[in-house]
Every structure is written in structure tokens, then in C-alpha cells.
Amino acid sequence: SESADEPESSRRAVTCRHNSSMFRCVSIEASGSVLDKNLAALSVVSQRAARAIAQTTSRTDLEWTVADDGLISCAFTDAWGRKTSLASRKRPGEEAKRLAEAVDIDKAGVVIIKGFGCGHHIRALLEQGKSAALIVVYEPDVALLRSVLERQDFSGWLVDPLVAFITDPDDAAVISETFSGSEGLVSLGLKLVEHPPSSKRLADTTDRFEARL
């Protein structure tokens, strides 16, 4: 039974919401089974990224919440004491949809998203687009990836053959391999998309990554 003294955050570790066509049940507590399911899906296309995530440890400096729409959100505090949220703390689903709608996915063969954040904008982009564009997610913070993938089941879209992850800005072989077999899509053009909350976080590596594209 619940103790009256038990913190609300503990009592609400698992929160369920009904949202239009799907029923979501997520937890702000890390789950090995959720991680395993996500990594199994991710490894279908991005084996090296999946391996790197499996071999790293989670970030311990993230503040997790379950938003009003049932999706996870998290924030971190930088060295100057400034807090940055990687997704809306209220309705990250709506925020992700707005970001996705601003991207004309049908006018590019490859869409490169700089920053995974909490992952909701990647899912939203896939849901809005009916094109055959290759979606490449650049996220060098594998500890962040692990932390998110321990908490939200994204396996349904991580297994998509047109979604690939790059985690090392200096690994020219992996970057080249990611586009191998998709030369036709590359010839249609590359579109770079920033995840605004990740811009400063990735500022030290994005130039090196883009130079290898």
C-alpha cells in the first residue's frame, strides 16, 4: 500500500494517458526491458550506435518528468546553473509536431536531424511524412540516448529501415556507410534540421560532423 509519506514523484513513477489513437504508459524510472526492446530495433539499421549505447552508462544529471500528454521530458543544468529542457514539460507531443511541420520532408532525399533530445520530434517527422526520405539522427551523447531509450518505447519506429543514427562526428567510415546504398536519395539533396534545445549542447561537434557529409 502507498505510504502517506512517500514522495509524489515515487508514487507517480508510472503514468498512463490516453492520447487519440494510442495508449501510452511510460515511466520516469529506467527500465532494462524497454532499453533492450529499443536497442533490438535500433540494431537492425544502426548496429554501431546500438552497441555504443549498450556499452555506456546513463546520464545521472537529468531531471525527468512525465508531461500532461503522457510523454517523457527531461532537463539538465549546465555549468553556469542554467536549466535547459530537451522537450516541453507540458506537451512535448505538440511541440514535436510543430517542429516536424516546419520541415518540408518531401523536398529532400535525406533529412539530417541534429539532436535527439527526448526523441519525440523524430517520431513526429516520420508520422507526418509519407516520402521515402532517409532520416539520419546525429546525436553524439550516447549516455543521453541510453537514458531516453530506457524510459520510452520507440521500437516501433527505430526499426524503420529509413532511420539511421550517427553518434561519432569523426568516424568517416560510419558516416559513409550510413549513406551507402542511398546514393539516389543523397542526389535529391540533404536537408539539415536543428533540434533547437540541442543546438548549444552540440555546438562543439556539429561543424566537424557536417564537414564529413
Side-chain angles (χ1 to χ4, degrees), residues 25-99:
C25 186
V26 300
S27 172
I28 59 173
E29 300 301 322
S31 166
S33 61
V34 172
L35 177 65
D36 289 345
K37 190 174 182 180
N38 280 323
L39 291 185
L42 179 61
S43 64
V44 172
V45 175
S46 302
Q47 292 182 1
R48 295 193 193 186
R51 191 180 309 120
I53 294 168
Q55 292 173 348
T56 196
T57 56
S58 306
R59 286 183 58 161
T60 58
D61 61 335
L62 300 174
E63 177 186 319
W64 295 93
T65 57
V66 178
D68 293 344
D69 58 6
L71 298 175
I72 60 170
S73 178
C74 71
F76 66 92
T77 302
D78 66 19
W80 293 272
R82 297 173 299 202
K83 182 176 287 188
T84 298
S85 292
L86 293 179
S88 167
R89 296 170 65 86
K90 293 294 184 182
R91 295 195 170 275
E94 290 181 5
E95 176 188 61
K97 186 177 180 181
R98 288 195 299 272
L99 190 153

Side-chain angles (χ1 to χ4, degrees), residues 78-189:
D78 66 19
W80 293 272
R82 297 173 299 202
K83 182 176 287 188
T84 298
S85 292
L86 293 179
S88 167
R89 296 170 65 86
K90 293 294 184 182
R91 295 195 170 275
E94 290 181 5
E95 176 188 61
K97 186 177 180 181
R98 288 195 299 272
L99 190 153
E101 288 174 345
V103 179
D104 192 348
I105 192 173
D106 295 320
K107 289 189 176 180
V110 179
V111 178
I112 300 174
I113 304 173
K114 297 182 288 183
F116 183 74
C118 290
H120 308 309
H121 56 298
I122 316 294
R123 173 187 54 80
L125 189 61
L126 288 166
E127 288 179 350
Q128 79 141 25
K130 295 182 179 179
S131 77
L134 173 65
I135 308 296
V136 178
V137 181
Y138 170 62
E139 179 53 72
D141 189 346
V142 292
L144 170 65
L145 286 170
R146 181 182 177 107
S147 299
V148 174
L149 297 182
E150 288 174 331
R151 289 171 171 83
Q152 185 106 37
D153 183 358
F154 286 140
S155 59
W157 60 263
L158 286 173
V159 75
D160 191 318
L162 286 176
V163 177
F165 279 68
I166 294 174
T167 61
D168 186 343
D170 302 312
D171 194 332
V174 169
I175 294 173
S176 176
E177 181 182 301
T178 299
F179 298 105
S180 178
S182 301
E183 289 80 7
L185 293 175
V186 173
S187 70
L188 296 176

